[in-house]
Amino acid sequence: MAVIERSLRLTYHGRIIDQLGIQMYQSPVAAIAELVANAWDADTENVRIYLPDNIEGEAQIVITDDGLGMEFHECQDKYLNVGWARRGGKAVEHSLGKERPVLGRKGIGKFAGFGIADIIRVVTVSKITGEKTTFEMDIRKLRTDSYVEAEGGEVDLLEYLDPSEARKQDHGTAVILKLLKLGRVIAPDQFAKSMARRYLLHQQVADFKVFVNDKPLPESVTLTGAQFIFPNEYRGDEKPDGMKVVNGWGEETLSNGRSIKWQVVFYEDTIDEEELRGIAVFSHGKLAQTPFFFLLSGGLGGQHGQAYISGQVQADYLDELDDDIMATERQRVSWDRDETSPLLKWGQERVKQLLKTWQKRRAEDKQRRLEERLADFAGRLDKLPTHERKTVRRAVSKVAGIPTLTNAQFEELGSAILTAWEQGRLHELISDISTASDMTAEQFLDLLVEADILAALNVAEAVRTKLDAIKGLRRRIESRELESAVRDYIAQKPWLLEPKWETFKVETSVKWILDEAAEKAGLLADEYKGRVDLALRSREDLLIVEFVRPGKKVDWDHLDRCTHYVRYIAPKVRTQTALGIRNIEGLIVADELDKAPDVQTQIVELEKTGIQALEWRTLLGRSESDWSEFLDILVDRAPEDDRFKSLRCAES
């Protein structure tokens, strides 16, 4: 048998590769989405995308499918023929076996991989013949500054295997992207979400699934946190004329006779992800227009709702027109065309109507929540005189109508209004709000400013109380009060030691370790009986406090015993993993630490191991200074406010 010498060539001219819009595919999602579309056209049932955990050296992205694959001549005549139109001269074409509407149109999406990689390797096995062909394209070789004749550019044929019945069962195509041009590692979960938003196919067609690192794509739009879903949310008199609702989707006919389907979701909180905010347009299940607001400008009723809205329009007819009206990367539609302007006009009208309806629904929902919330406050409201009760209710109702407020913010402000009124504050502002026809942005800002001042005032009052408590502890120390009383006082108020310990509480689960440590360190001897131990905890942090009786001079031996005590505790606690304690610090508090040179040397060494030693006067002075500084910061929020002035006077 004569040996057939085979070769493959890419037919193109000049630097046409650079003119294919490759720069449009410089994001992994945009590039790989085109390869997924090719897999759909090849009657694939399962597409698997494998992302690397690094982007260095030999890292590669692999996209495999179980579609029809290609015979050798198809690799040359179709795949490597730049601009080969899968649909021929038809506006609509269907795949060979499954009769799917073909997505490919321009004949260049297969080169999208060059947007993120220098090398594209293709491994394909034909379902028809069992032929296996492996070839590789290198953009660095294909790109040229000179005019290339019709024979095209060289493509490396790495392997060809003759037709085989046995090999037919392995049909499908793998595209391997090598020498990646990425600035950072691709996060699989975020990539999967973004990919899902480019397709509806994986949700609508039972025999087409896409996986990322073996995990299926999520829903293109999550309903978690959704507040209103249209068209289901429409009431009888609000539903657009001629619209039908089928399986939660609105079905309408445009002015040009074309049919579309749509669904819009308003979330309870603002949408942080930009690519989800707005209305996306799909054609045959593939993204045609990234989310937008149909080119609407400002001045819309309920325009704040744009930060809460996400939706989808299915307009299959866009991909069935004789002219291709979609941009190369299929993220933008030409909206100035006669064929697309009816959809644009419909979208503008529908979005404006939905925003107004959302504003009304959101106010109603807040009012409902208000009534529920006020029911909880019924006892407090009933204590107010009748006219005051009405004023407060009206004011809170006005706040409910502010569209930019989340429900959580509204409930917090509603509660703050009631509390402020009860405390005799903000009466004038609240009364103004209750009588306003609409809640203005200025009034809302005033309320927030005053609420911020009020919050600072409440904290300042709490700090003032803490400073008074520190003075009380100082008096106990100076009067040589019993150690047990001092311990109990500090156990209830750990912040007396330092502001950062405000979240600490007494930890009793380690008492047996403390007792064992005391015995090992020799701290149960007669001369040390009555010593006070205190274990304070905040989450993973444990603070061991050792008190020495106020007025008692501590010597080197006592300090050393205390040091061994704290050091013994640390490994013991860490081995008790169920306790969840990770960080252990020590604090020794005594008097006259500066009297003996050997004690001073030991103190310096202690600090290197996370153990502090302080005198009572130093500890209390530092704590008082820290809290006073905090109070000054709060008072500076409104230095002319008499309420803050009174706190500053109390300090002096």
Side-chain angles (χ1 to χ4, degrees), residues 513-514 517 542 544 564-574:
I513 298 178
L514 300 181
L542 183 69
I544 304 299
H564 284 297
Y565 171 72
V566 175
R567 288 176 177 172
Y568 178 86
I569 291 170
K572 278 284 186 180
V573 170
R574 290 194 181 98

Side-chain angles (χ1 to χ4, degrees), residues 341-510:
S341 59
L343 177 57
L344 181 67
K345 183 179 180 182
W346 169 88
Q348 292 175 341
E349 293 176 351
R350 192 62 64 246
V351 168
K352 285 190 283 188
Q353 179 214 35
L354 286 170
L355 288 174
K356 290 180 180 178
T357 304
W358 166 81
Q359 187 176 31
K360 177 181 176 183
R361 289 285 192 284
R362 194 167 173 88
E364 290 175 352
D365 188 65
K366 286 181 180 177
Q367 188 64 38
R368 176 184 58 78
R369 290 173 181 259
L370 165 65
E371 296 300 331
E372 294 173 354
R373 186 72 172 172
L374 289 178
D376 296 335
F377 298 148
R380 294 167 62 184
L381 283 170
D382 289 342
K383 294 179 181 178
L384 298 176
T386 303
H387 70 283
E388 291 187 14
R389 185 163 60 246
K390 291 180 179 179
T391 298
V392 173
R393 287 181 64 93
R394 284 198 304 269
V396 176
S397 297
K398 289 297 189 300
V399 173
I402 301 173
T404 53
L405 285 183
T406 66
N407 286 320
Q409 290 171 329
F410 160 66
E411 291 179 2
E412 183 178 352
L413 275 174
S415 177
I417 287 174
L418 179 56
T419 301
W421 189 278
E422 290 173 331
Q423 295 177 350
R425 297 167 175 164
L426 308 179
H427 277 200
E428 183 176 353
L429 177 60
I430 294 173
S431 296
D432 289 344
I433 292 173
S434 70
T435 57
S437 56
D438 290 300
M439 183 67 178
T440 67
E442 290 76 14
Q443 288 172 319
F444 180 48
L445 180 61
D446 286 343
L447 179 60
L448 289 182
V449 169
E450 181 61 26
D452 182 58
I453 292 176
L454 183 59
L457 180 62
N458 289 337
V459 174
E461 290 172 341
V463 172
R464 175 69 265 158
T465 301
K466 287 178 169 59
L467 286 168
D468 291 340
I470 292 173
K471 292 179 179 178
L473 177 59
R474 188 189 301 277
R475 288 192 293 270
R476 288 173 177 242
I477 298 300
E478 291 173 350
S479 64
R480 304 293 190 261
E481 193 166 322
L482 292 175
E483 291 174 276
S484 58
V486 172
R487 177 202 60 193
D488 293 342
Y489 192 72
I490 294 178
Q492 295 172 6
K493 305 174 179 63
W495 42 262
L496 286 165
L497 302 177
E498 194 170 343
K500 72 175 184 179
W501 292 330
E502 187 168 22
T503 59
F504 280 70
K505 295 182 179 179
V506 175
E507 177 64 22
T508 58
S509 64
V510 296

Side-chain angles (χ1 to χ4, degrees), residues 507 510 535-537 540-544 573 581 583-585:
E507 177 64 22
V510 296
L536 301 171
R537 179 180 180 181
E540 296 183 345
D541 299 321
L542 183 69
L543 176 67
I544 304 299
V573 170
I581 297 172
N583 308 309
I584 297 112
E585 295 182 29

Side-chain angles (χ1 to χ4, degrees), residues 55-235:
I55 55 174
E56 306 298 330
E58 299 298 319
Q60 57 188 27
I61 298 172
V62 180
I63 303 95
T64 69
D65 68 54
D66 55 7
L68 296 174
M70 292 181 287
E71 300 175 44
F72 182 84
H73 75 87
E74 290 176 312
C75 293
Q76 177 62 78
D77 299 338
K78 298 179 180 180
Y79 194 95
L80 293 174
N81 189 351
V82 177
W84 176 76
R86 170 66 187 271
R87 305 187 197 181
K90 303 176 183 178
V92 180
E93 181 62 277
H94 293 83
S95 62
L96 294 176
K98 296 181 179 292
E99 289 294 312
R100 293 172 174 171
V102 170
L103 298 179
R105 185 160 191 164
K106 295 178 173 66
I108 59 175
K110 53 206 168 191
F111 302 114
F114 282 137
I116 59 173
D118 280 337
I119 295 176
I120 299 177
R121 176 177 291 185
V122 178
V123 182
T124 184
V125 176
S126 170
K127 185 176 183 179
I128 305 300
T129 66
E131 288 175 84
K132 180 179 180 180
T133 307
T134 303
F135 59 91
E136 192 170 86
M137 299 178 290
D138 188 330
I139 188 73
R140 298 168 301 178
K141 296 179 181 179
L142 297 175
R143 182 186 289 123
T144 175
D145 289 323
S146 61
Y147 186 82
V148 180
E149 298 297 334
E151 66 268 16
E154 189 68 38
V155 169
D156 294 330
L157 178 62
L158 304 181
E159 181 183 41
Y160 173 77
L161 299 179
D162 290 322
S164 165
E165 286 295 323
R167 200 180 296 116
K168 289 181 181 180
Q169 64 182 358
D170 298 325
H171 62 87
T173 299
V175 177
I176 304 162
L177 306 180
K178 304 167 63 178
L179 291 185
L180 301 178
K181 301 181 290 187
L182 301 175
R184 60 185 178 183
V185 174
I186 305 170
D189 290 344
Q190 184 57 47
F191 173 89
K193 289 180 182 179
S194 297
M195 183 63 68
R197 289 167 192 158
R198 286 178 171 262
Y199 288 101
L200 297 179
L201 298 171
H202 66 290
Q203 297 175 205
Q204 298 176 334
V205 183
D207 64 352
F208 184 71
K209 302 297 180 186
V210 181
F211 302 85
V212 177
N213 288 1
D214 293 322
K215 293 182 180 180
L217 289 189
E219 296 291 307
S220 56
V221 172
T222 177
L223 296 182
T224 302
Q227 186 176 20
F228 309 113
I229 303 175
F230 291 89
N232 285 347
E233 190 69 26
Y234 277 132
R235 295 167 186 167

